[in-house]
């Protein structure tokens, strides 16, 4: 389990003052106060419930648009590589990752075909991708085409965060793949992903942070079209090169 930051205020949040339990008007206060506190307490969802809520929220989407920041932490490099852009999703399986900084590139997925356009290289690559290849990746998380309980061992976890109103869980793939496990931070109001951290076996990690999330909005059809400039090198999934 990830380390839990110590709470400097732990043990110092008691209610000051003394209650006169022998006074007639106050004898019932502990019971009334306890009932009120119990009624107002929002018990956190269990890890399985959090994963189920996440799955339900994702499957209930028609479209989604968000800003993202992607960071890659390598064990061999001190400074992480950070990239920023916009994510567009349209169910059942269309996604566009529009990277804007530091380099412009596009990842467009739909119908089992992945297109990758690198503006600096003026190159477009198209390849066939089996749906299960993305089951344990960020694409599979958002598409939620399979149950998280079928794909992962779901556990409670805690890791540093800069916000409240979130639920954090750890997902360990039942079938070994590129990642040993991943950490999810879920907004407990929308039950949509806020942060996803993929930890590689060798110690490197890839992190996604999502902000300005908008759901079920109308996305133009051209959002999921990819136009490249004249003279762009196009490589299809068979390796054939066209110019």
């Amino acid at each position: 389990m990830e380390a839990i930051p110590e709470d400097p205020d732990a043990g110092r949040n008691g209610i000051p003052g003394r209650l006169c339990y022998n006074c007639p008007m106050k004898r019932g206060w502990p019971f009334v106060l306890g009932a009120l506190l119990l009624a107002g307490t929002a018990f956190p969802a269990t890890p399985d419930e959090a994963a189920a809520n996440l799955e339900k929220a994702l499957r209930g989407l028609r479209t989604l648009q968000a800003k993202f920041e992607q960071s890659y932490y390598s064990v061999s490099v001190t400074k992480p590589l950070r990239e920023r852009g916009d994510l567009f999703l349209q169910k059942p399986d269309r996604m566009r990752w529009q990277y804007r900084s530091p380099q412009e590139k596009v990842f467009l997925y739909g119908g089992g075909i992945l297109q990758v356009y690198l503006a600096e290289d003026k190159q477009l690559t198209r390849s066939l991708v089996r749906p299960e290849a993305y089951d344990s990746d960020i694409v599979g998380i958002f598409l939620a085409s399979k149950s998280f309980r079928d794909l992962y061992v779901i556990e409670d976890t805690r890791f540093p965060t800069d916000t409240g109103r979130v639920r954090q869980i750890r997902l360990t793939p039942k079938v070994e793949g590129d990642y040993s496990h991943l950490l999810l931070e879920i907004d407990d109001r929308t039950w949509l992903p806020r942060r996803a951290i993929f930890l590689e076996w060798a110690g490197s990690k890839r992190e996604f942070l999502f902000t300005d999330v908008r759901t079920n909005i109308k996305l133009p059809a051209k959002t999921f079209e990819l136009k490249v400039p004249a003279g762009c090198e196009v490589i299809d999934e068979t390796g054939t090169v066209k110019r």
Side-chain angles (χ1 to χ4, degrees), residues 146-211:
K146 292 186 178 180
S147 171
F148 291 123
R149 292 186 64 181
D150 292 340
L151 296 175
Y152 303 100
V153 174
I154 306 169
E155 300 172 285
D156 198 5
T157 191
R158 298 282 184 88
F159 51 91
T161 184
D162 59 359
T163 187
R165 298 299 305 269
V166 292
R167 185 67 172 91
Q168 298 176 335
I169 58 176
R170 170 181 170 137
L171 303 180
T172 302
K174 292 183 177 180
V175 177
E176 187 174 305
D178 294 334
Y179 305 98
S180 61
H181 64 281
L182 62 112
L183 307 175
L184 284 183
E185 185 170 87
I186 309 166
D187 187 319
D188 71 0
R189 292 161 293 188
T190 64
W191 292 107
L192 292 173
R194 180 182 180 273
R195 193 155 49 127
I197 306 172
F198 295 80
L199 291 99
E200 300 178 358
W201 293 98
S204 299
K205 67 178 181 179
R206 189 161 52 112
E207 178 175 345
F208 295 86
L209 175 65
F210 302 97
T211 58

Side-chain angles (χ1 to χ4, degrees), residues 61 63-69 84-89 100 142 163 187 189-190 192-195 208-217 219:
L61 292 177
T63 63
L64 179 144
Q65 179 178 340
K67 295 185 180 301
F68 72 87
E69 179 177 294
R84 295 177 176 85
D86 297 282
L87 166 64
F88 304 90
L89 165 69
R100 305 189 184 281
F142 273 98
T163 187
D187 187 319
R189 292 161 293 188
T190 64
L192 292 173
R194 180 182 180 273
R195 193 155 49 127
F208 295 86
L209 175 65
F210 302 97
T211 58
D212 298 334
V213 179
R214 302 169 62 195
T215 60
N216 298 327
I217 60 175
L219 297 176

Side-chain angles (χ1 to χ4, degrees), residues 5-14:
E6 293 184 0
D7 180 1
D9 295 322
R12 293 188 291 170
N13 297 322

Side-chain angles (χ1 to χ4, degrees), residues 11-158:
R12 293 188 291 170
N13 297 322
I15 301 174
R18 298 175 62 186
L19 293 177
C20 178
Y21 290 104
N22 292 324
C23 299
M25 294 296 294
K26 297 183 178 179
R27 289 173 184 167
W29 281 22
F31 303 97
V32 174
L33 180 61
L36 290 174
L37 290 175
L38 182 61
T41 299
F43 291 98
T46 66
D48 281 339
E49 289 171 342
N53 290 341
L54 168 65
E55 188 176 313
K56 180 179 179 181
L58 290 170
R59 290 185 174 181
L61 292 177
R62 297 190 304 275
T63 63
L64 179 144
Q65 179 178 340
K67 295 185 180 301
F68 72 87
E69 179 177 294
Q70 178 179 335
S71 303
Y72 183 73
Y73 298 82
S74 173
V75 293
S76 60
V77 180
T78 304
K79 188 177 180 180
L81 170 64
R82 299 189 188 278
E83 299 177 289
R84 295 177 176 85
D86 297 282
L87 166 64
F88 304 90
L89 165 69
Q90 180 173 294
K91 291 298 187 78
D93 67 347
R94 305 177 79 183
M95 298 186 76
R96 182 185 184 111
W97 296 79
Q98 180 79 47
Y99 289 79
R100 305 189 184 281
S101 168
Q103 296 181 352
E104 182 182 350
K105 57 185 178 181
V106 180
F107 285 67
L108 189 65
Y109 177 77
I113 298 177
L114 174 66
Q115 301 185 75
V116 180
Y117 171 63
L118 305 177
E120 185 176 2
D121 297 336
K122 294 185 178 180
Q123 184 184 84
L124 171 65
T125 303
R126 297 192 183 104
S127 56
L128 294 173
V129 180
R130 294 177 289 104
E132 56 269 26
Y134 280 137
D135 281 348
S136 297
D137 206 330
I138 191 65
V139 173
I141 295 293
F142 273 98
L143 293 181
S145 56
K146 292 186 178 180
S147 171
F148 291 123
R149 292 186 64 181
D150 292 340
L151 296 175
Y152 303 100
V153 174
I154 306 169
E155 300 172 285
D156 198 5
T157 191
R158 298 282 184 88

